[in-house]
Amino acid sequence: VKITSVRYGEKADDLLVSLGDYKKDTYIISNDNFIEYSTNEIIKSKRIIKHDISRDFIRIPNLEINLEY
């Protein structure tokens, strides 16, 4: 697993979508629909994974992750 992060205040969408366009094993964990990137391969191939994060848990159903903290 490789995690890529972007500094606070920088726009991450362009970076995330471009990574997914050239690396076919890349997925984005986000609740964004990336509508403005609908022609990009990662969006067309539906490699966006939805999640729930609250004050005391993280849930990523597609990955079967349910963590309380």
Side-chain angles (χ1 to χ4, degrees), residues 1-3 5-6 8 10 13-15 22 25 27 29 32 40-41 43 48 50 54 56 62-63 66-67 69:
V1 173
K2 181 177 180 186
I3 298 173
S5 62
V6 177
Y8 180 78
E10 292 185 20
D13 292 1
D14 293 336
L15 172 65
Y22 82 91
D25 61 348
Y27 289 77
I29 297 175
D32 192 330
N40 292 74
E41 183 58 35
I43 308 307
I48 308 298
K50 303 298 183 187
S54 77
D56 55 359
N62 290 51
L63 300 177
N66 293 295
L67 302 171
Y69 56 92

Side-chain angles (χ1 to χ4, degrees), residues 4 10-11 22-23 50-51 65:
T4 301
E10 292 185 20
K11 188 169 172 148
Y22 82 91
K23 292 192 58 91
K50 303 298 183 187
H51 69 285
I65 294 174

